């Protein structure tokens, strides 16, 4: 009987790979909202020319990516400012986190009722540039398709746990995206 209970708990922690695009972009799981350890902490380390987007859990990364993905289908997205308040776009920011801005140069209408996230992060190709301004980092995407593929990349990363840390490079900085594999 105990084995059945353990399996049930294990199944609850598995993140779904099917994303319903027509969902409300701010649909947030009770588990995410119930525990303060699911956070995003953005650090800009000027002396090391490093930007770190650190999610404390894969669930925090999952909901952040899911909500930026669904918002791109449900509304015309060209510029987003995510300020580090309590909860923004499905993720709670850590105290003293830097601000995140997303700038999309060209809007491309994408029509997809639902999508399956595949277990291959290499499947999602995107261009990303980023710059820092004081306590803010801005991601630049050439179009909506690159932005959507970035969200799917994060979703694949958080669902399948193949990697918990990746690096991207700009002219001046290195960007690290990571989540902790430790879940309370």
């Amino acid at each position: 009987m105990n084995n059945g209970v353990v399996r049930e708990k294990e199944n609850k922690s598995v993140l779904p790979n099917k994303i319903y695009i027509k969902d409300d972009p701010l649909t947030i799981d009770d588990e995410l909202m119930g525990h303060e350890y699911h956070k995003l902490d953005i650090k800009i380390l000027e002396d090391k020319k490093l930007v770190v987007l650190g999610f404390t859990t894969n669930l925090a990364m999952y909901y952040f990516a899911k909500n930026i993905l669904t918002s791109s289908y449900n509304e015309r997205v060209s510029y987003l400012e995510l300020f580090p308040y309590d909860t923004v776009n499905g993720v709670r920011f850590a105290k003293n986190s830097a601000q995140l801005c997303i700038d999309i140069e060209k809007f491309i209408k994408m029509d997809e009722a639902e999508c399956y996230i595949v277990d291959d992060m290499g499947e999602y190709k995107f261009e990303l540039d980023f710059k820092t301004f004081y306590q803010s980092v801005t991601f630049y995407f050439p179009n909506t398709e690159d932005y959507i593929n970035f969200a799917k990349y994060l979703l694949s990363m958080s669902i399948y746990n193949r990697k918990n840390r990746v690096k991207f490079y700009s002219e001046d900085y290195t960007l690290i995206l990571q989540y902790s594999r430790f879940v309370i």
Side-chain angles (χ1 to χ4, degrees), residues 88-107:
V88 180
N89 278 17
V91 72
R92 184 180 287 114
F93 276 77
K95 220 177 221 183
N96 301 320
S97 176
Q99 174 186 3
L100 175 62
C101 300
I102 298 173
D103 190 354
I104 303 166
E105 189 175 322
K106 182 178 176 187
F107 179 79

Side-chain angles (χ1 to χ4, degrees), residues 144-156:
T144 313
E145 185 176 8
D146 287 291
Y147 170 74
I148 287 171
N149 281 338
F150 173 74
K152 289 179 178 180
Y153 183 90
L154 293 182
L155 284 164
S156 180

